[in-house]
Amino acid sequence: MKKILIANRGEIALRIMRSAKEMGIATVAVYSEADRTALHVQYADEAICIGPAASNQSYLLRHKIIEACKVSGADAIHPGYGFLSENAEFARQVVAAGITFIGPTPEAMEVMGNKLSAKAAALKYNIPMVPGTEEAITDVEEAKNRAVEVGFPILIKAAAGGGGKGMRIVDKVEDFLEQMQLAVSEATSAFGDGAVFIERYVSSPRHIEIQVLGDMHGNIVHLFERECSVQRRHQKVIEEAPSSVLTPEIRAKMGKCAVDVARAVNYVGAGTVEFILDENLDFFFLEMNTRLQVEHPVTEMITGLDLVKEQIKIARAEALSFTQEDLKINGHAIELRVYAEDPANNFLPDIGTLATYKTPKGNGVRVDDGFEQGMEIPIYYDPMIAKLITFGATRTEAIERMVRAISEYEITGIQTTLGFGKFVMLHEAFRSGNFDTHFVSKYYQPKSEIAMDEYEALIAAVIAVQALNKQTASSIAVESLSANHWRKNRLYK
């Protein structure tokens, strides 16, 4: 393997390229017209434009990426995460073209890409499951009766996809039909598959996932857990490794279950088995992600392994160079996803130019990013700017380093999740480890930076200026405020 094409963009493309470079492997970037000057394009040995800005006209076009791979003479394709990383048909086409796909087999992707078939595979090894239905709902009345048996509240979930789409919590039987129709509609719209199933709703869940690696020789190991319970809109914002609540006994049991789930589909490569942990520390299988996770750096920090290098070695048919007994947890790591989002406005994306962009440095601080000062945040893709990771000998040290790193991180021109990250790090619930996936709704209730009386005074000022000069009033009023686009929009309403 002498040359790899990275079928992705931004920080993950750069992160893969750096590991490849250390292994003496040349890299090829693909990019959309919006990413012509992106850092991953500048860093790669070669770069090929594959289409317009919209991802469905560039990064999601399977044939364009395979064509670029052939033109460049690359031996392999690394999909990163997102885009085509869990697309079984893409993996199948890559292999059919005589190109190595750095990831699992298409068959494993297909099984684990559907929550119902994933549950069926996991059941072969008696993996704990949340009580519910094991098949897609076809008979509404029968499903309603099953929901009553399981006990309300229950959760209706889409069989395909993720990210909280096609998911509905139902508190009482009278709401079941309406909520199921909404879930089916959303699942159909988001994934092209309206299949849904039901599970008992765990009221105080923690989201725990186990990193696994499997080679082509039947060796599968787990690299311990990541705690991913601080979420917004069912999507992760802060992750850490290890979890503050797992005992060695529970960790060993979860690890074995994760390895068994991977073994159920003869898994090859890096993957993540996700579990839900209830208030009694009982765990249940959720799903498996058949790719590298966004939060993989925290696992790297506590194990000393480079997961991208391991992926490449596995794709080259090399056997794992270590056993489960060789792996040990060293220290504690925390990751904050630095999004271009406004936490004060329900974490809605914010766009603009990085007027100031200075990253933190120092002992135990790692920043995986794909931007530099003066660049614009594109509206076409995920709004993540960077991943800020801190490492310490203890959880307390990792938290304190994160607080320091956030204070050093300078970003102006857009709203970000840095302030939210600092709020979490300083909150007693997080510091004590006594929190769950409802952390944001329980504790984060930000107040507008402008007090109501001040806001009303600004509105009055706008009206007064408009009376004097209708032509320039709006621009003057808006420029007198901060760069918060949400607030600007409110002045126009």
Side-chain angles (χ1 to χ4, degrees), residues 41-103:
V41 176
Q42 299 176 42
Y43 189 86
D45 296 297
E46 302 171 48
I48 299 172
C49 183
I50 53 172
S55 57
N56 63 1
Q57 298 178 51
S58 52
Y59 295 108
L60 291 174
L61 292 181
R62 301 190 294 259
H63 68 283
K64 284 278 190 78
I65 291 171
I66 293 172
E67 181 184 340
C69 194
K70 291 179 177 178
V71 168
S72 68
D75 310 296
I77 291 177
H78 194 306
Y81 54 71
F83 292 135
L84 296 170
S85 62
E86 293 181 281
N87 188 301
E89 185 55 35
F90 174 60
R92 190 171 283 114
Q93 290 175 5
V94 169
V95 174
I99 302 165
T100 298
F101 182 77
I102 302 176

Side-chain angles (χ1 to χ4, degrees), residues 2 74 79 123 285 311 315 354 366 368 372 398 403 424:
K2 297 180 179 178
L123 280 171
F285 172 72
Q311 285 185 298
L354 294 170
R366 167 178 168 179
D368 286 14
E372 60 186 10
V403 173
V424 176

Side-chain angles (χ1 to χ4, degrees), residues 459-473:
I459 294 295
V462 170
I463 294 172
V465 174
Q466 286 175 335
L468 292 172
N469 190 338
K470 292 183 179 180
Q471 186 175 4
T472 61

Side-chain angles (χ1 to χ4, degrees), residues 133-345:
T133 58
E134 296 176 6
E135 298 177 348
I137 294 172
T138 54
D139 186 312
V140 179
E141 281 303 315
E142 185 179 329
K144 187 192 295 184
N145 292 336
R146 177 60 181 148
V148 172
E149 289 176 19
V150 169
F152 287 88
I154 59 105
L155 191 62
I156 301 175
K157 298 174 69 172
K165 296 180 177 66
M167 187 182 293
R168 286 288 186 278
I169 299 170
V170 187
D171 293 312
K172 53 185 187 294
V173 68
E174 292 80 10
D175 298 334
F176 183 82
L177 180 59
E178 179 186 4
Q179 292 302 313
M180 196 189 78
Q181 290 173 338
L182 289 170
V184 169
S185 176
E186 190 173 68
T188 303
S189 175
F191 314 120
D193 182 353
V196 298
F197 61 101
I198 63 173
E199 289 180 343
R200 175 171 65 84
Y201 177 63
V202 179
S203 59
S204 299
R206 295 180 77 118
H207 186 125
I208 308 289
E209 60 188 31
I210 306 285
Q211 177 73 58
V212 296
L213 283 175
D215 64 23
M216 297 180 186
H217 307 278
N219 302 307
I220 303 175
V221 298
H222 72 83
L223 277 61
F224 313 111
E225 81 277 5
R226 296 186 289 256
E227 168 94 48
C228 306
S229 298
V230 181
Q231 306 177 0
R232 49 76 176 123
R233 297 193 298 274
H234 300 288
Q235 295 175 326
K236 307 161 191 172
V237 188
I238 293 172
E239 303 98 351
E240 61 179 312
S243 168
S244 61
V245 295
L246 291 197
T247 64
E249 293 75 22
I250 296 175
R251 178 175 294 118
K253 288 179 182 178
M254 291 184 80
K256 181 183 183 304
C257 285
V259 168
D260 285 342
V261 169
R263 202 173 298 284
V265 289
N266 299 313
Y267 197 81
V268 171
T272 297
V273 182
E274 304 201 351
F275 296 92
I276 193 169
L277 189 76
D278 70 15
E279 58 272 20
N280 300 316
L281 299 186
D282 293 323
F283 63 89
F284 307 96
F285 172 72
L286 276 181
E287 61 182 333
M288 183 177 190
N289 293 130
T290 55
R291 55 171 167 78
L292 194 67
Q293 293 279 86
V294 175
E295 58 273 19
H296 76 272
V298 293
T299 296
E300 293 182 326
M301 301 297 272
I302 67 165
T303 60
L305 293 173
D306 183 319
L307 292 186
V308 171
K309 288 183 181 179
E310 294 302 326
Q311 285 185 298
I312 293 171
K313 291 175 185 177
I314 290 168
R316 294 194 304 204
E318 296 180 26
L320 293 177
S321 61
F322 47 85
T323 65
Q324 189 68 60
E325 290 69 33
D326 296 324
L327 297 167
K328 299 289 185 291
I329 295 175
N330 175 40
H332 200 97
I334 300 174
E335 175 180 294
L336 167 66
R337 300 190 190 189
V338 184
Y339 283 110
E341 293 180 346
D342 185 356
N345 190 27

Side-chain angles (χ1 to χ4, degrees), residues 227-232 236-240 334-337 343 347 395 398-400 402-403 406 417-436 438-441 443-445:
E227 168 94 48
C228 306
S229 298
V230 181
Q231 306 177 0
R232 49 76 176 123
K236 307 161 191 172
V237 188
I238 293 172
E239 303 98 351
E240 61 179 312
I334 300 174
E335 175 180 294
L336 167 66
R337 300 190 190 189
F347 293 89
R395 185 172 188 263
I399 290 173
E400 297 305 338
M402 179 62 76
V403 173
I406 291 171
T417 52
L418 283 171
F420 169 75
K422 190 170 186 178
F423 171 87
V424 176
M425 293 300 118
L426 296 176
H427 199 282
E428 178 56 29
F430 183 79
R431 296 176 81 92
S432 68
N434 185 24
F435 63 96
D436 55 35
H438 302 305
F439 180 94
V440 171
S441 60
Y443 305 117
Y444 192 66
Q445 298 175 336

